[in-house]
Amino acid sequence: MQAGADMTVQSVLPVGAMLGEGPVWTGDALWFVDIKGRAVHRFDPGDGSSQAWSAPDQVGWVLPAEAGDMIAGVKTGLHRFDPVTGSFALLHDPEPDYPGNRLNDAATDRTGRLWFGSMDDGEAAMTGRLYRCDGGACRDTRLPPVAITNGPAISADGRTLYHTDTLGKTIWRVAIADDGALGAPERHIVVGKAEGYPDGSVIDAEGCLWVAFYGGWGVRRYDPSGRMMRFVRFPVANVTKIAFGGANLTTAYATSARKGLDNAALEAQPLAGHLFTFDPGVAGLPVTPAKI
């Protein structure tokens, strides 16, 4: 962590998302989604402008694609999303036998392989799985199923996957072979009872893992051994994921959620669901477009 980093958290876009998620920096803007609001958002920090597109169903994330458009994880499957026309075109439904599931979080590795997870929309059944799309084919990674998959994050060298079991409050570390096959998962971080639930995660340029906490009032930074190095407190309880953006990827953006907050909590947290920013004191890694 660089000396003098300003960890003050500020709201930069008052979207009031019911379930903001999936921030990603591409081009000169930040993209994110409101899962329950069925919307894709784009925020330009240069002039403070924003745009929004309606999705055909709950949308867990969008990521840049090699073709120049975007890939979206919608409840009904992987879609190609064209921001110019606002259209969504179904590419692949990985779980036709699990209509109660939806796609939840995703990341690409340095080769452009797409890693994404599913979850039980009711947040109870152990039906969530992690998938890998490579060379036009999507495969179940065969990691043990969980209720809510989250935070697939991949190390800079592409050899380690961090996979989150949100309700199990555990982040697993898994070796990745050259062909994308996974080794045996190893327990990496176990979250305490009072810390909230580990949500989305991302790796920084120093190989450390930043994890957002739902019900945990902030984000935590862990070193490669799994030791917590920093806690950044937010003015809202439900922080869902961060992304590194800006010209040098040195600005952190974070999504948040209103979901699960009663009227008293919403009154106490008027910024819930907004998009936030802070100076993390470290750069992030560029996002490789998905090769789909």
Side-chain angles (χ1 to χ4, degrees):
M1 188 69 62
Q2 296 176 358
D6 180 8
M7 307 300 283
T8 302
V9 175
Q10 297 179 321
S11 170
V12 290
L13 188 65
V15 288
M18 181 58 66
L19 185 52
E21 255 292 5
V24 61
W25 182 267
T26 179
D28 57 359
L30 185 88
W31 295 78
F32 64 101
V33 302
D34 180 353
I35 297 175
K36 296 301 181 181
R38 301 186 178 190
V40 175
H41 294 269
R42 179 185 184 274
F43 171 64
D44 183 347
D47 59 13
S49 64
S50 63
Q51 294 175 268
W53 294 260
S54 295
D57 207 322
Q58 296 181 73
V59 55
W61 47 267
V62 291
L63 287 169
E66 192 177 41
D69 51 8
M70 307 192 86
I71 300 297
V74 182
K75 185 179 186 297
T76 49
L78 296 179
H79 286 65
R80 192 173 293 280
F81 167 55
D82 183 354
V84 176
T85 63
S87 63
F88 288 78
L90 179 64
L91 295 175
H92 175 65
D93 179 3
E95 297 183 334
D97 297 328
Y98 290 92
N101 272 12
R102 65 172 173 83
L103 302 190
N104 192 46
D105 204 357
T108 56
D109 62 23
R110 63 176 185 172
T111 70
R113 286 184 296 222
L114 174 65
W115 303 80
F116 67 95
S118 65
M119 62 170 278
D120 171 32
D121 199 28
E123 302 180 8
M126 303 286 280
T127 54
R129 289 168 169 77
L130 186 73
Y131 297 90
R132 182 186 85 244
C133 283
D134 186 12
C138 290
R139 305 172 178 85
D140 185 342
T141 63
R142 303 299 178 187
L143 290 179
V146 298
I148 302 175
T149 63
N150 242 313
I154 300 95
S155 61
D157 63 8
R159 297 187 177 278
T160 304
L161 169 79
Y162 297 94
H163 167 59
T164 299
D165 172 3
T166 293
L167 293 189
K169 293 194 168 189
T170 301
I171 298 174
W172 298 87
R173 177 186 174 106
V174 191
I176 306 174
D178 290 342
D179 64 357
L182 297 181
E186 302 175 358
R187 189 175 283 103
H188 184 58
I189 298 167
V190 177
V191 176
K193 291 183 178 180
E195 295 176 358
Y197 294 89
D199 206 313
S201 62
V202 66
I203 295 284
D204 67 28
E206 296 179 355
C208 295
L209 185 70
W210 292 76
V211 183
F213 279 77
Y214 205 97
W217 295 90
V219 298
R220 298 171 186 263
R221 186 186 189 226
Y222 298 90
D223 71 14
S225 72
R227 179 179 65 91
M228 193 184 83
M229 303 175 68
R230 183 70 60 124
F231 173 68
V232 182
R233 185 172 178 82
F234 276 60
V236 296
N238 300 332
V239 188
T240 53
K241 190 171 184 176
I242 79 163
F244 292 92
N248 299 309
L249 300 179
T250 54
T251 299
Y253 293 93
T255 47
S256 67
R258 298 165 58 87
K259 181 178 178 290
L261 301 179
D262 60 20
N263 290 336
L266 288 172
E267 185 175 350
Q269 301 173 47
L271 303 182
H274 290 194
L275 179 69
F276 295 89
T277 187
F278 65 93
D279 178 2
V282 64
L285 298 170
V287 175
T288 302
K291 296 181 178 179
I292 298 294

